Coordinates of all heavy atoms in Angstrom, one line a residue:
M247 N 13.2 -6.0 -20.8 CA 11.8 -5.6 -20.5 C 10.9 -6.3 -21.5 O 11.1 -6.3 -22.7 CB 11.8 -4.1 -20.7 CG 10.6 -3.4 -20.0 SD 10.6 -1.6 -20.1 CE 11.9 -1.1 -19.0
S248 N 9.8 -6.8 -20.9 CA 8.8 -7.5 -21.8 C 7.8 -6.5 -22.4 O 7.7 -5.3 -22.0 CB 8.0 -8.5 -20.9 OG 7.2 -7.9 -20.1
E249 N 7.0 -7.0 -23.3 CA 6.0 -6.2 -23.9 C 5.0 -5.6 -22.9 O 4.5 -4.5 -22.9 CB 5.2 -7.0 -25.0 CG 4.2 -6.2 -25.8 CD 3.6 -7.0 -26.9 OE1 4.3 -7.7 -27.6 OE2 2.4 -6.9 -27.0
V250 N 4.6 -6.4 -21.9 CA 3.7 -6.0 -20.8 C 4.3 -4.9 -20.0 O 3.7 -3.9 -19.6 CB 3.3 -7.2 -19.9 CG1 2.5 -6.7 -18.7 CG2 2.5 -8.2 -20.7
D251 N 5.6 -4.9 -19.7 CA 6.3 -3.9 -19.0 C 6.2 -2.5 -19.7 O 6.2 -1.5 -19.0 CB 7.8 -4.2 -18.7 CG 7.9 -5.4 -17.8 OD1 7.0 -5.6 -16.9 OD2 9.0 -6.1 -17.9
E252 N 6.1 -2.5 -21.0 CA 6.1 -1.3 -21.7 C 4.7 -0.8 -22.0 O 4.5 0.3 -22.6 CB 6.9 -1.5 -23.1 CG 8.3 -1.9 -22.8 CD 9.0 -2.2 -24.1 OE1 8.5 -1.9 -25.2 OE2 10.1 -2.8 -24.0
M253 N 3.7 -1.6 -21.7 CA 2.3 -1.2 -21.9 C 1.8 -0.1 -21.0 O 2.2 -0.1 -19.8 CB 1.4 -2.4 -21.7 CG -0.1 -2.2 -22.1 SD -1.2 -3.6 -21.7 CE -0.3 -5.0 -22.3
S254 N 1.1 0.8 -21.5 CA 0.5 1.9 -20.6 C -1.0 1.7 -20.5 O -1.7 1.6 -21.5 CB 0.8 3.2 -21.3 OG 0.0 4.2 -20.7
V255 N -1.5 1.5 -19.3 CA -2.9 1.4 -19.0 C -3.3 2.6 -18.1 O -2.8 2.8 -17.1 CB -3.2 0.0 -18.3 CG1 -4.7 -0.1 -18.0 CG2 -2.7 -1.1 -19.2
E256 N -4.4 3.3 -18.6 CA -4.9 4.4 -17.8 C -6.4 4.1 -17.7 O -7.1 3.7 -18.6 CB -4.7 5.7 -18.6 CG -3.2 6.0 -18.8 CD -3.0 7.1 -19.7 OE1 -3.2 6.9 -21.0 OE2 -2.7 8.2 -19.3
V257 N -6.9 4.4 -16.5 CA -8.3 4.2 -16.1 C -8.8 5.6 -15.6 O -8.3 6.1 -14.7 CB -8.5 3.1 -15.1 CG1 -10.0 3.0 -14.8 CG2 -8.0 1.8 -15.5
V258 N -9.9 6.0 -16.2 CA -10.5 7.3 -15.8 C -11.9 6.9 -15.2 O -12.7 6.3 -15.9 CB -10.7 8.3 -17.0 CG1 -11.5 9.5 -16.6 CG2 -9.4 8.6 -17.7
T259 N -12.1 7.3 -14.0 CA -13.4 7.0 -13.4 C -14.1 8.3 -13.0 O -13.4 9.3 -12.5 CB -13.3 6.1 -12.1 OG1 -12.4 6.8 -11.2 CG2 -12.8 4.8 -12.4
V260 N -15.4 8.4 -13.2 CA -16.1 9.6 -12.9 C -17.4 9.2 -12.1 O -18.1 8.3 -12.6 CB -16.6 10.3 -14.2 CG1 -17.4 11.5 -13.8 CG2 -15.4 10.8 -15.0
R261 N -17.6 9.7 -11.0 CA -18.8 9.4 -10.2 C -19.7 10.7 -10.3 O -19.3 11.8 -9.9 CB -18.4 9.2 -8.7 CG -19.6 9.0 -7.9 CD -19.3 8.3 -6.6 NE -20.1 7.1 -6.6 CZ -19.9 6.0 -6.0 NH1 -18.8 5.8 -5.3 NH2 -20.7 4.9 -6.1
D262 N -20.9 10.5 -10.8 CA -21.8 11.6 -10.9 C -22.5 11.8 -9.6 O -22.4 11.1 -8.7 CB -22.7 11.4 -12.1 CG -23.7 10.3 -12.0 OD1 -24.1 10.0 -10.8 OD2 -24.1 9.8 -13.0
G263 N -23.3 12.9 -9.6 CA -24.0 13.3 -8.4 C -25.0 12.3 -7.9 O -25.5 12.4 -6.7
R264 N -25.5 11.4 -8.7 CA -26.5 10.4 -8.3 C -25.8 9.2 -7.8 O -26.5 8.2 -7.5 CB -27.4 10.1 -9.5 CG -28.2 11.3 -10.0 CD -29.1 10.9 -11.2 NE -28.4 10.3 -12.3 CZ -27.7 10.9 -13.3 NH1 -27.7 12.2 -13.3 NH2 -27.1 10.3 -14.2
G265 N -24.5 9.2 -7.7 CA -23.8 8.0 -7.2 C -23.4 7.0 -8.2 O -22.8 6.0 -7.9
H266 N -23.7 7.2 -9.5 CA -23.3 6.3 -10.5 C -21.8 6.5 -10.8 O -21.3 7.6 -10.8 CB -24.1 6.5 -11.8 CG -25.5 6.2 -11.6 ND1 -26.5 7.2 -11.5 CD2 -26.2 5.1 -11.5 CE1 -27.7 6.7 -11.3 NE2 -27.5 5.4 -11.3
T267 N -21.1 5.4 -11.1 CA -19.7 5.5 -11.5 C -19.5 5.1 -12.9 O -20.1 4.0 -13.3 CB -18.8 4.6 -10.6 OG1 -19.0 5.1 -9.2 CG2 -17.4 4.8 -10.9
H268 N -18.8 5.8 -13.7 CA -18.5 5.5 -15.1 C -17.0 5.4 -15.2 O -16.2 6.1 -14.6 CB -19.0 6.6 -16.0 CG -20.5 6.9 -15.8 ND1 -21.5 6.1 -16.3 CD2 -21.1 7.8 -15.0 CE1 -22.6 6.6 -15.9 NE2 -22.4 7.6 -15.1
A269 N -16.5 4.4 -16.0 CA -15.1 4.2 -16.2 C -14.8 4.1 -17.7 O -15.6 3.5 -18.5 CB -14.6 3.0 -15.5
R270 N -13.6 4.6 -18.0 CA -13.1 4.4 -19.4 C -11.6 4.0 -19.3 O -10.9 4.4 -18.4 CB -13.1 5.8 -20.2 CG -14.6 6.2 -20.4 CD -14.6 7.6 -21.0 NE -14.2 7.6 -22.3 CZ -14.0 8.7 -23.1 NH1 -14.4 9.9 -22.5 NH2 -13.6 8.7 -24.3
V271 N -11.3 3.0 -20.1 CA -9.9 2.4 -20.0 C -9.2 2.6 -21.3 O -9.8 2.5 -22.4 CB -10.0 0.9 -19.7 CG1 -8.7 0.2 -19.7 CG2 -10.8 0.6 -18.4
F272 N -7.9 3.0 -21.2 CA -7.1 3.3 -22.3 C -5.8 2.4 -22.2 O -5.2 2.4 -21.2 CB -6.7 4.8 -22.4 CG -7.9 5.7 -22.5 CD1 -8.6 6.1 -21.3 CD2 -8.4 6.1 -23.7 CE1 -9.7 6.9 -21.4 CE2 -9.5 7.0 -23.8 CZ -10.2 7.3 -22.6
V273 N -5.5 1.7 -23.3 CA -4.3 0.9 -23.3 C -3.4 1.5 -24.4 O -3.9 1.6 -25.6 CB -4.6 -0.6 -23.6 CG1 -3.3 -1.4 -23.8 CG2 -5.4 -1.2 -22.5
D274 N -2.2 1.9 -24.1 CA -1.3 2.6 -25.0 C -2.0 3.8 -25.7 O -1.9 4.0 -26.9 CB -0.7 1.6 -26.0 CG 0.2 0.7 -25.3 OD1 0.8 1.0 -24.3 OD2 0.4 -0.5 -25.8
G275 N -2.9 4.5 -25.0 CA -3.6 5.7 -25.5 C -4.8 5.4 -26.3 O -5.5 6.3 -26.7
A276 N -5.2 4.1 -26.5 CA -6.4 3.8 -27.3 C -7.4 3.3 -26.3 O -7.2 2.4 -25.5 CB -6.1 2.7 -28.3
E277 N -8.7 3.8 -26.4 CA -9.7 3.4 -25.6 C -10.1 1.9 -25.9 O -10.2 1.6 -27.1 CB -11.0 4.3 -25.7 CG -12.0 4.0 -24.6 CD -13.1 5.1 -24.5 OE1 -13.1 6.0 -25.3 OE2 -13.9 4.9 -23.6
V278 N -10.3 1.1 -24.9 CA -10.7 -0.3 -25.1 C -12.0 -0.5 -24.3 O -12.3 0.2 -23.3 CB -9.6 -1.3 -24.6 CG1 -8.4 -1.1 -25.5 CG2 -9.3 -1.1 -23.2
P279 N -12.8 -1.5 -24.7 CA -14.0 -1.8 -24.0 C -13.7 -2.3 -22.6 O -12.6 -2.9 -22.4 CB -14.7 -3.0 -24.8 CG -14.0 -2.9 -26.1 CD -12.7 -2.3 -25.9
A280 N -14.5 -1.9 -21.6 CA -14.2 -2.3 -20.2 C -15.5 -2.5 -19.5 O -16.6 -2.0 -19.9 CB -13.5 -1.1 -19.5
V281 N -15.4 -3.4 -18.5 CA -16.6 -3.7 -17.6 C -16.2 -3.1 -16.3 O -15.2 -3.3 -15.7 CB -16.8 -5.2 -17.5 CG1 -17.9 -5.5 -16.5 CG2 -17.1 -5.8 -18.9
L282 N -17.1 -2.4 -15.7 CA -16.9 -1.7 -14.4 C -17.7 -2.6 -13.3 O -18.9 -2.8 -13.4 CB -17.5 -0.3 -14.4 CG -17.4 0.4 -13.0 CD1 -16.0 0.6 -12.6 CD2 -18.2 1.7 -13.1
Y283 N -16.9 -3.0 -12.4 CA -17.5 -3.7 -11.2 C -17.4 -2.7 -10.1 O -16.3 -2.6 -9.5 CB -16.7 -5.0 -10.9 CG -16.8 -6.0 -12.0 CD1 -15.7 -6.2 -12.9 CD2 -18.0 -6.7 -12.3 CE1 -15.8 -7.1 -14.0 CE2 -18.1 -7.6 -13.3 CZ -17.0 -7.8 -14.2 OH -17.1 -8.7 -15.2
D284 N -18.4 -2.0 -9.8 CA -18.4 -1.0 -8.8 C -18.8 -1.6 -7.4 O -19.9 -2.0 -7.2 CB -19.5 0.1 -9.2 CG -19.4 1.3 -8.3 OD1 -18.4 1.5 -7.6 OD2 -20.3 2.1 -8.4
I285 N -17.8 -1.6 -6.5 CA -18.0 -2.2 -5.2 C -18.2 -1.1 -4.2 O -17.2 -0.5 -3.8 CB -16.8 -3.1 -4.8 CG1 -16.5 -4.2 -5.9 CG2 -17.1 -3.8 -3.5 CD1 -17.6 -5.1 -6.3
A286 N -19.4 -0.8 -3.9 CA -19.8 0.2 -2.9 C -19.5 -0.3 -1.5 O -19.5 -1.5 -1.3 CB -21.2 0.6 -3.1
T287 N -19.4 0.6 -0.6 CA -19.3 0.1 0.8 C -20.7 0.0 1.4 O -21.6 0.7 1.0 CB -18.5 1.1 1.6 OG1 -19.2 2.4 1.6 CG2 -17.1 1.3 1.1
P288 N -20.9 -0.9 2.4 CA -22.2 -1.1 2.9 C -22.8 0.2 3.5 O -24.0 0.4 3.6 CB -22.0 -2.2 4.0 CG -20.7 -2.9 3.7 CD -19.9 -1.9 2.9
G289 N -21.9 1.1 4.0 CA -22.4 2.3 4.6 C -22.9 3.4 3.6 O -23.3 4.4 4.0
A290 N -22.7 3.1 2.3 CA -23.1 4.1 1.3 C -24.5 3.9 0.8 O -24.8 3.8 -0.4 CB -22.1 4.0 0.1
G291 N -25.5 3.7 1.7 CA -26.9 3.5 1.3 C -27.2 2.0 1.0 O -28.3 1.7 0.6
W292 N -26.3 1.1 1.3 CA -26.6 -0.3 1.0 C -26.8 -1.0 2.4 O -26.1 -0.7 3.4 CB -25.4 -1.0 0.4 CG -25.1 -0.5 -1.0 CD1 -24.5 0.7 -1.4 CD2 -25.2 -1.2 -2.2 NE1 -24.4 0.8 -2.7 CE2 -24.8 -0.4 -3.3 CE3 -25.7 -2.5 -2.5 CZ2 -24.8 -0.8 -4.6 CZ3 -25.7 -2.9 -3.8 CH2 -25.3 -2.0 -4.9
T293 N -27.6 -2.0 2.4 CA -27.6 -2.9 3.5 C -26.5 -3.9 3.3 O -26.0 -4.1 2.2 CB -29.0 -3.8 3.6 OG1 -29.0 -4.6 2.5 CG2 -30.2 -2.8 3.7
P294 N -25.9 -4.4 4.4 CA -24.8 -5.4 4.2 C -25.2 -6.6 3.3 O -24.4 -7.1 2.5 CB -24.5 -5.9 5.7 CG -24.9 -4.7 6.5 CD -26.2 -4.1 5.8
E295 N -26.5 -7.0 3.4 CA -26.9 -8.2 2.6 C -26.9 -7.8 1.1 O -26.5 -8.6 0.2 CB -28.3 -8.7 3.0 CG -28.3 -9.2 4.4 CD -28.3 -8.2 5.5 OE1 -28.7 -7.0 5.2 OE2 -28.0 -8.5 6.7
A296 N -27.5 -6.6 0.8 CA -27.5 -6.2 -0.6 C -26.1 -5.9 -1.2 O -25.8 -6.3 -2.3 CB -28.4 -4.9 -0.7
W297 N -25.2 -5.4 -0.4 CA -23.9 -5.1 -0.8 C -23.2 -6.4 -1.1 O -22.5 -6.6 -2.1 CB -23.1 -4.4 0.3 CG -21.7 -4.2 0.1 CD1 -21.1 -3.3 -0.8 CD2 -20.6 -5.0 0.7 NE1 -19.7 -3.5 -0.7 CE2 -19.4 -4.5 0.2 CE3 -20.6 -6.0 1.6 CZ2 -18.2 -5.0 0.5 CZ3 -19.4 -6.5 2.0 CH2 -18.2 -6.0 1.5
S298 N -23.3 -7.4 -0.2 CA -22.7 -8.7 -0.4 C -23.2 -9.4 -1.7 O -22.4 -9.9 -2.5 CB -22.9 -9.6 0.8 OG -22.3 -10.9 0.6
A299 N -24.5 -9.3 -1.9 CA -25.1 -9.9 -3.1 C -24.6 -9.3 -4.4 O -24.3 -9.9 -5.4 CB -26.6 -9.9 -3.0
Q300 N -24.5 -7.9 -4.3 CA -24.0 -7.2 -5.5 C -22.5 -7.6 -5.8 O -22.1 -7.8 -6.9 CB -24.1 -5.7 -5.3 CG -23.8 -4.8 -6.5 CD -22.4 -4.2 -6.3 OE1 -21.7 -4.4 -5.3 NE2 -22.0 -3.5 -7.4
K301 N -21.7 -7.7 -4.7 CA -20.3 -8.0 -4.9 C -20.1 -9.4 -5.4 O -19.3 -9.7 -6.3 CB -19.6 -7.8 -3.6 CG -18.1 -7.9 -3.6 CD -17.5 -7.6 -2.3 CE -16.0 -7.9 -2.3 NZ -15.4 -7.6 -1.0
V302 N -20.9 -10.4 -4.9 CA -20.8 -11.8 -5.4 C -21.3 -11.9 -6.8 O -20.7 -12.6 -7.6 CB -21.7 -12.7 -4.5 CG1 -21.9 -14.1 -5.1 CG2 -21.0 -12.8 -3.1
S303 N -22.3 -11.1 -7.2 CA -22.8 -11.1 -8.6 C -21.7 -10.6 -9.5 O -21.4 -11.2 -10.6 CB -24.0 -10.2 -8.7 OG -24.4 -10.1 -10.0
G304 N -21.0 -9.5 -9.1 CA -19.9 -9.0 -10.0 C -18.7 -10.0 -10.1 O -18.2 -10.3 -11.1
A305 N -18.4 -10.6 -8.9 CA -17.3 -11.6 -8.9 C -17.6 -12.8 -9.8 O -16.7 -13.3 -10.5 CB -17.0 -12.0 -7.5
S306 N -18.9 -13.3 -9.8 CA -19.2 -14.4 -10.6 C -19.1 -14.2 -12.1 O -19.0 -15.1 -12.9 CB -20.6 -15.0 -10.2 OG -21.6 -14.1 -10.5
A307 N -19.3 -12.9 -12.5 CA -19.3 -12.6 -13.9 C -17.9 -12.2 -14.4 O -17.6 -12.1 -15.6 CB -20.3 -11.5 -14.2
A308 N -17.0 -11.9 -13.5 CA -15.7 -11.3 -13.8 C -14.7 -12.4 -14.3 O -14.8 -13.6 -14.0 CB -15.1 -10.6 -12.6
A309 N -13.6 -11.9 -14.9 CA -12.5 -12.8 -15.2 C -11.8 -13.1 -13.9 O -12.0 -12.4 -12.9 CB -11.5 -12.0 -16.1
V310 N -11.1 -14.2 -13.8 CA -10.5 -14.7 -12.6 C -9.7 -13.6 -11.9 O -9.8 -13.4 -10.7 CB -9.6 -15.9 -12.9 CG1 -8.8 -16.3 -11.7 CG2 -10.5 -17.1 -13.3
A311 N -8.8 -12.9 -12.7 CA -8.0 -11.9 -12.1 C -8.8 -10.7 -11.5 O -8.5 -10.2 -10.4 CB -7.0 -11.3 -13.1
A312 N -9.9 -10.4 -12.1 CA -10.8 -9.3 -11.6 C -11.5 -9.8 -10.4 O -11.6 -9.0 -9.4 CB -11.7 -8.8 -12.7
A313 N -12.0 -11.0 -10.4 CA -12.6 -11.6 -9.2 C -11.7 -11.6 -8.0 O -12.1 -11.3 -6.9 CB -13.2 -13.0 -9.5
H314 N -10.4 -11.9 -8.3 CA -9.5 -12.0 -7.2 C -9.1 -10.6 -6.7 O -8.7 -10.4 -5.5 CB -8.2 -12.7 -7.6 CG -8.4 -14.2 -7.7 ND1 -7.4 -15.0 -8.2 CD2 -9.5 -14.9 -7.5 CE1 -7.9 -16.3 -8.2 NE2 -9.2 -16.2 -7.8
A315 N -9.4 -9.5 -7.5 CA -9.2 -8.2 -7.0 C -10.3 -7.8 -6.0 O -10.2 -6.9 -5.2 CB -9.2 -7.2 -8.2
M316 N -11.5 -8.5 -6.2 CA -12.6 -8.2 -5.3 C -12.5 -9.1 -4.0 O -12.9 -8.6 -2.9 CB -13.9 -8.6 -6.0 CG -14.2 -7.7 -7.1 SD -15.8 -8.2 -7.9 CE -15.3 -8.1 -9.6
Y317 N -12.0 -10.3 -4.1 CA -11.9 -11.2 -3.0 C -10.5 -11.8 -3.1 O -10.1 -12.2 -4.2 CB -12.9 -12.3 -3.1 CG -14.3 -12.0 -2.9 CD1 -15.2 -11.7 -3.9 CD2 -14.8 -11.9 -1.6 CE1 -16.5 -11.4 -3.7 CE2 -16.2 -11.7 -1.4 CZ -17.0 -11.4 -2.4 OH -18.3 -11.1 -2.2
P318 N -9.8 -12.1 -2.0 CA -8.6 -12.9 -2.0 C -9.0 -14.3 -2.5 O -10.1 -14.8 -2.2 CB -8.1 -13.0 -0.6 CG -8.8 -11.8 0.1 CD -10.1 -11.5 -0.7
P319 N -8.1 -14.9 -3.3 CA -8.5 -16.2 -3.9 C -9.1 -17.3 -3.0 O -10.0 -18.0 -3.3 CB -7.2 -16.7 -4.5 CG -6.4 -15.5 -4.8 CD -6.8 -14.5 -3.7
Q320 N -8.6 -17.4 -1.8 CA -9.0 -18.4 -0.8 C -10.4 -18.1 -0.2 O -11.0 -18.9 0.3 CB -8.0 -18.6 0.3 CG -7.8 -17.4 1.2 CD -6.8 -16.4 0.7 OE1 -6.4 -16.4 -0.5 NE2 -6.3 -15.5 1.6
T321 N -10.9 -16.8 -0.4 CA -12.2 -16.5 0.1 C -13.3 -16.2 -1.0 O -14.4 -15.8 -0.6 CB -12.1 -15.2 1.0 OG1 -11.8 -14.1 0.1 CG2 -11.1 -15.3 2.1
L322 N -12.9 -16.5 -2.2 CA -13.9 -16.2 -3.3 C -15.1 -17.1 -3.1 O -15.0 -18.3 -3.1 CB -13.2 -16.6 -4.6 CG -13.9 -16.1 -5.9 CD1 -14.0 -14.6 -6.0 CD2 -13.1 -16.6 -7.1
P323 N -16.3 -16.5 -2.9 CA -17.5 -17.3 -2.6 C -18.2 -17.9 -3.8 O -19.3 -18.5 -3.6 CB -18.4 -16.3 -1.9 CG -18.0 -15.0 -2.6 CD -16.6 -15.1 -2.9
V324 N -17.7 -17.7 -5.0 CA -18.4 -18.2 -6.2 C -17.4 -18.9 -7.1 O -16.2 -18.7 -7.0 CB -19.1 -17.1 -6.9 CG1 -20.2 -16.5 -6.1 CG2 -18.1 -16.0 -7.3
T325 N -18.0 -19.6 -8.0 CA -17.2 -20.2 -9.1 C -17.1 -19.1 -10.2 O -18.1 -18.6 -10.6 CB -17.8 -21.5 -9.7 OG1 -17.9 -22.4 -8.6 CG2 -16.9 -22.0 -10.8
V326 N -15.9 -18.8 -10.6 CA -15.7 -17.7 -11.6 C -15.9 -18.4 -13.0 O -15.3 -19.4 -13.3 CB -14.3 -17.1 -11.5 CG1 -14.1 -16.0 -12.5 CG2 -14.2 -16.5 -10.1
A327 N -16.7 -17.8 -13.8 CA -17.1 -18.3 -15.1 C -16.1 -18.1 -16.2 O -15.9 -18.9 -17.1 CB -18.5 -17.8 -15.5
R328 N -15.4 -16.9 -16.1 CA -14.5 -16.6 -17.2 C -13.0 -16.9 -16.9 O -12.6 -17.0 -15.7 CB -14.6 -15.1 -17.5 CG -16.0 -14.7 -18.1 CD -16.1 -13.3 -18.4 NE -15.0 -12.6 -18.9 CZ -14.6 -11.4 -18.7 NH1 -15.4 -10.6 -17.9 NH2 -13.6 -10.9 -19.2
G329 N -12.2 -17.1 -17.9 CA -10.8 -17.4 -17.7 C -10.0 -16.3 -17.2 O -10.5 -15.2 -17.0
A330 N -8.7 -16.5 -17.1 CA -7.8 -15.5 -16.5 C -7.6 -14.4 -17.4 O -7.7 -14.0 -18.4 CB -6.4 -16.2 -16.2

């Protein structure tokens, strides 16, 4: 078993009544800084164009692995600035 296999990662997300989402990430029980890329659905008060722009903005700022969680690698519409 590798060190990664033994790592515990927990993510707590809370959505408040105004629609904001907050996330806290814990690795092996210790809180670590995290960036939340909140991908809303177009039907949740977004126009399809605004939703797409917000998603592309998040993907362009994200690490490669996080961007690929938003888009399959072959459909990623932006160049990802951060490494893996």
Side-chain angles (χ1 to χ4, degrees):
M247 200 178 283
S248 73
E249 187 176 312
V250 172
D251 292 333
E252 297 174 18
M253 183 185 316
S254 168
V255 178
E256 299 169 285
V257 179
V258 177
T259 57
V260 177
R261 176 162 238 154
D262 68 29
R264 296 179 309 274
H266 298 105
T267 303
H268 307 277
R270 295 172 69 184
V271 176
F272 300 84
V273 175
D274 292 333
E277 189 167 5
V278 297
V281 176
L282 175 65
Y283 299 103
D284 190 15
I285 307 301
T287 62
W292 294 73
T293 65
E295 295 79 17
W297 172 78
S298 180
Q300 185 259 357
K301 189 175 174 184
V302 168
S303 175
S306 66
V310 172
H314 288 177
M316 294 177 224
Y317 290 97
Q320 66 275 16
T321 65
L322 193 61
V324 295
T325 301
V326 178
R328 292 181 39 213

